[in-house]
Amino acid sequence: MKQFATLVNILGTSTKTNDKLQALQDYFAVAADKDKIWVIAIFSGRRPKRIINSTILQSWCIEIIGITQWLFDECYHTVGDLAETISLLLPEPETPTDGYRIGVAPEHTLSYYLETFIRIEKEDEAVKKQFITESWEQMDRNEKFVFNKLITGGFRIGVSQTMMVNALAKTVHAPSSVIAHRISGNWNPATASFEYLLSESVAATDFSKPYPFYLAYAVNEDLEKLGAENEWQAEWKWDGIRGQIIKRNSDFFVWSRGEELMTEKFPEYNNFKDQLPEGTVIDGEIISLAAPAEEGIFKPLPFAALQTRIGRKNITKKQLTEAPVGFIAYDLLEFNGEDIRYKSMAERRQLLEQVIAQTNYPSLHISPIIAFDTWESLGTVRTRSRDMSSEGIMIKRKNSPYQSGRKRGDWWKWKIDPLTIDAVMIYAQKGHGRRSNLYTDYTFAVKDGDRLVSFTKAYSGLTDKEFAQVDAFVKRNSIEKFGPVRTVKPELVFEIAFEGIAASNRHKSGVALRFPRMSRWRQDKKADEINTLDDLKELLKNYNLPLAPEGK
Amino acid sequence: MPLIEFSDKGLYCRQGNFYIDPWKPVDKAIITHAHSDHARAGSRYYLCHHLTKPLLQLRLGDHVYESADWNEPVFINGVRVSLHPSGHIIGAAQIRVEYNGEVWVASGDYKTEDDGISGAFDPVQCNTFITESTFGLPIYKWKKQAAIFEDIKNWVAQNRENKKTSVLIAYSLGKAQRVLRPLSEMGLPVYVHGAVWNVHQALVNSGWNLPEVKRVQPDTPKQNLAGNIVIAPPSADGTPWMKKFYPYSVGVCSGWMQVRGNARRRNIDAGFALSDHADWDGLLQAVKATGAQKVYATHGFQSAFSRYLNEQGIEAGEVKTEYGSEEEDSKTAG
């Protein structure tokens, strides 16, 4: 565990990608195979199920150190991370400085802890308590932090799956695209062995395995640099969940870009299984479409509609009718069981059209190609994006292969400018991670006559320096002293940018925003110059999105 | 009438007509220590410890300074004033104020672990104790100084192995001198920023026997710095001045490094939770040792700390001061 704790420590504090990569490689070079498997699992989102909720976990910590709940809460809000708070509060084991422990069992491995989590998952709370509190007693602060992180989930320490894949690729001397493919799909870290996982036969036998997604970078306004228009294909950029549908060995799988297997969540897709030819993998968008869709014409619903469908175990009939889910196909990655990612996009598109034409299911569409002559005329088309319920335009080079991960050069996204509204900050809360003990999470309001109506939260968009200034303002101008939320003097005005707006009966203001963030600190504006609730409603009307069917 | 009032200029003793660490110019100022949020220029008269005097002269320039030894009584208008080691930095004092049998102590900044250079914290019995609370939450529990020094030395050795210069960020007054001794044991040349150099010279001139350091000069050859140690104040971190040391690794010595997010936010390579302030246990130990019936908590987590003391049966209130907000001593600067 010490080895892994050290790795996490380096990954968490290092500021350079190369150093992180090196730390991962060093770890892969020396760690036990079982532990390596688990590291791959953890950094690719395959952690064991959470065995205990965080409220109970903190109650055990409080019980051990004998402090009051409010003091624990104060600590938590200051640290901004539950796992770390607990690790800082619990006493350190009594060990000599050379780290050798007297009278304690030898150190356990990472795999020991994770496999114990799995083993005791169904046991009584008392069993879990004993295991966790006894483990705490044997660990130093660093190990406790990592151990708690494994329990509470959310290993956001600045390591992407891509980075882990790159380190692994260097360790086993294989191209990273191959590694990315091999570690994808449906495998169990408790049973898989390191050799097996990385062996060539795996991809061949695991029929569920998706391909790594090809992701685009944003392009700036100067499209002329891309060269001749006829070398490029343009499509709408749809706002759903990027996904892959796989038909292999008479079985059918749906994967999200987050490598989550979502087959069960979309019963609408069940028929695809029968109609798609054997050995087919399609890249596309899982998206909520207004039903019934006539051939070739489809109208996406706002992302909020799709949200009602994900994260739910049982889907009701009502949800199925109010937020039916379809699939918009972008690309064909496997055809007749052959990996065709090396072919040009033009060729793949032809085959994709052929495959889709063979089906007649109303939820399966092909992403229409936008015809255009000049970059300028494409720009004009782009202005209609919101009417199409799209986020902008995708531009793809016709002769490009299907690559792995986010790459420059062949695929670009050209998003529309966000909507904006000027609002005043009314509440602030301390942030997490690198924003610990800083007020960085804000709630904003617009005017409604003399009243202020809160309508959104936003956490991002300011520079560190600006955050420090706002933090200082909050500390000087807040009303309550305890608890996480400070009510602040409504004085600071920000321009809030967002990608979409939908009606919502969950929020006081009656609207829900998509991707809200602070685009500008309007130091030139006073609180009485902000936008009004009517302005928000006007935006809602203009962008004419149907009522999101939530919480009724 | 309380012996010490909390005025808009600082802690004020009406009977003695003097202020402790005023943040505005006054007639008579008693100074706990030479950090700039506690010692400000412009007052007509200053009283401090002998060891603090040359530091005030360095930082505040020409003023009327008088100094006293530890526990040496000074009478001002019938009020008995004496200075007692607070263990914060060289010369840092707690101010004991006595009148008509009533005793108040203003702690200034303090730490309870003896760092071997600042003098050992002296618990002073009193009726009312005004305490700092910079790290007044139980998440702040320091490792022993020796263990942190080990960590710092290992880090320097690791950097040297990777052919990197170790740039250690430490306050020019206090932390810089504290880390100097263990670093000098490594047998490597130690270079310092001009701000650290000035404090170093002032201390050497007033008789301190400190390990030798070299000042980073515009003409210092790059190869002399490579793989060696540089001590710089927080204000130098991230400035073009640092370019000279490339390739380098930045380590910050500050109690705020206890929490990972702070280190990550500052984009540094290593954080060492080495503080000149008392940790949670130190604060509680100090408060209890005074036997005070009433405690006022100032700069830091004063709300939480005073609430906790009240729950423990120690009557406590919180006081807003303007300490802990200067560039070198602030939370964002570390």
Side-chain angles (χ1 to χ4, degrees), chain A residues 9 12-13 15-16 70-71 75 78-79 84 88-89 141-142 145 433-436 438 481-482, chain B residues 137-141 164 258-261 264-265 267-269 280 301 303-304 307-308 311 318:
Chain A
N9 201 24
T13 50
T15 51
K16 287 148 200 111
W70 73 262
L71 188 54
C75 292
T78 299
V79 175
E84 187 178 0
L88 289 172
L89 285 171
R141 200 179 272 167
N142 246 336
F145 165 68
R434 67 188 289 274
R435 292 150 160 209
S436 102
L438 268 190
K481 274 179 199 148
F482 290 100
Chain B
L137 283 180
I139 48 173
Y140 299 108
K141 285 182 192 154
K164 286 181 177 174
Q258 178 85 341
V259 173
R260 283 157 192 268
R264 281 171 58 196
R265 176 155 77 233
N267 231 4
I268 54 170
D269 304 295
W280 172 257
F301 292 99
S303 311
R307 180 172 172 186
Y308 179 81
E311 287 180 357
E318 52 176 300

Side-chain angles (χ1 to χ4, degrees), chain A residues 36 70 174 203-204 280 323 341 354 547:
Chain A
K36 282 191 262 193
W70 73 262
T280 302
R341 292 178 296 162
Q354 197 182 310
L547 188 75

